[in-house]
Amino acid sequence: MDAMAEEALSTMNKSVDSLRNSLSTLRTGRASAAMLNGINVDYYGSPTPLNQISSISSPEPRQLLIKPYDKNDVKSIVAAISASDLGINPINEGNVIRLIIPALTEERRRDIVKQAHKYGEEAKIAVRNVRRDFMDLIKGDDSLSEDLQRKSQEDIQKVTDDSIKKIDEIITEKEKEIMAI
């Protein structure tokens, strides 16, 4: 594999990693601190990620416990969680906030699977865009012979196919995890 294909693979792997991060925020049947990664709290006038102003633990499989470092932030954390699209009502217990993750209904599971497929499609588009950029780079390089250009294009196509296959495997695995009761 030539250097250009390796560089393309490296860039495509960033899209795959981004997909994994996006999928970690989706609810499955159990509690995970990663579910709260996308939530920003109004912290003295600036949006701050929740995990930077509090500790998040999971005392039980279907429960998260959020303990703010500053007890004055409890109200803003409750407001941020309520405003998010998690669909979970936070329980304010004074110094801590408890999130009880309800069991997912079949309809909600299907919605989450659709969201996972959407994330997967976005990752595939990103991978294809990387392929297009590198193909254009190869076609525009006059210093390469036709055979070398063709070989480089084949290598990049192979790397693209492998990346898309990896994305499909990740989505299938996540779908099984979401649909498991």
Side-chain angles (χ1 to χ4, degrees):
M1 191 178 336
D2 64 350
M4 213 172 266
E6 289 179 13
E7 188 178 337
L9 177 63
S10 170
T11 308
M12 289 175 187
N13 281 338
K14 289 177 186 174
S15 297
V16 173
D17 291 341
S18 174
L19 170 67
R20 283 194 176 108
N21 288 337
S22 296
L23 291 177
S24 72
T25 64
L26 292 178
R27 270 182 61 191
T28 55
R30 56 187 184 271
S32 164
M35 293 169 45
L36 305 174
N37 282 351
I39 296 179
N40 288 323
V41 178
D42 184 35
Y43 185 67
Y44 296 107
S46 65
T48 307
L50 177 61
N51 58 4
Q52 290 183 9
I53 62 171
S54 63
S55 66
I56 303 168
S57 62
S58 181
E60 296 175 24
R62 291 190 180 267
Q63 196 175 99
L64 287 175
L65 197 64
I66 302 168
K67 186 168 185 172
Y69 300 133
D70 181 1
K71 67 179 181 177
N72 297 327
D73 295 331
V74 171
K75 287 182 181 171
S76 58
I77 291 173
V78 168
I81 293 171
S82 296
S84 72
D85 62 351
L86 279 178
I88 300 172
N89 290 325
I91 301 168
N92 184 347
E93 297 181 349
N95 293 338
V96 295
I97 300 158
R98 191 173 305 273
L99 298 177
I100 298 174
I101 293 34
L104 296 171
T105 63
E106 185 72 21
E107 182 181 339
R108 181 71 179 130
R109 286 179 195 275
R110 292 193 190 287
D111 289 344
I112 294 172
V113 167
K114 284 180 189 174
Q115 185 71 30
H117 282 285
K118 186 177 123 193
Y119 289 154
E121 199 54 45
E122 290 169 0
K124 287 179 187 179
I125 290 169
V127 165
R128 290 182 192 121
N129 286 341
V130 170
R131 177 190 63 193
R132 185 195 62 227
D133 293 344
F134 276 90
M135 291 290 199
D136 290 346
L137 207 64
I138 291 170
K139 289 176 186 172
D141 191 354
D142 295 332
S143 66
L144 297 175
S145 67
E146 271 186 47
D147 289 342
L148 204 53
Q149 281 183 350
R150 191 173 304 114
K151 172 75 170 108
S152 293
Q153 288 175 343
E154 288 172 1
D155 287 347
I156 288 177
Q157 184 61 47
K158 183 180 182 307
V159 166
T160 302
D161 293 342
D162 291 345
S163 295
I164 288 185
K165 183 179 176 190
K166 191 184 304 182
I167 289 170
D168 286 336
E169 290 170 357
I170 291 169
I171 293 297
T172 303
E173 183 179 310
K174 187 66 174 184
E175 183 176 355
K176 286 179 186 173
E177 182 182 335
I178 292 168
M179 294 308 284
I181 297 176

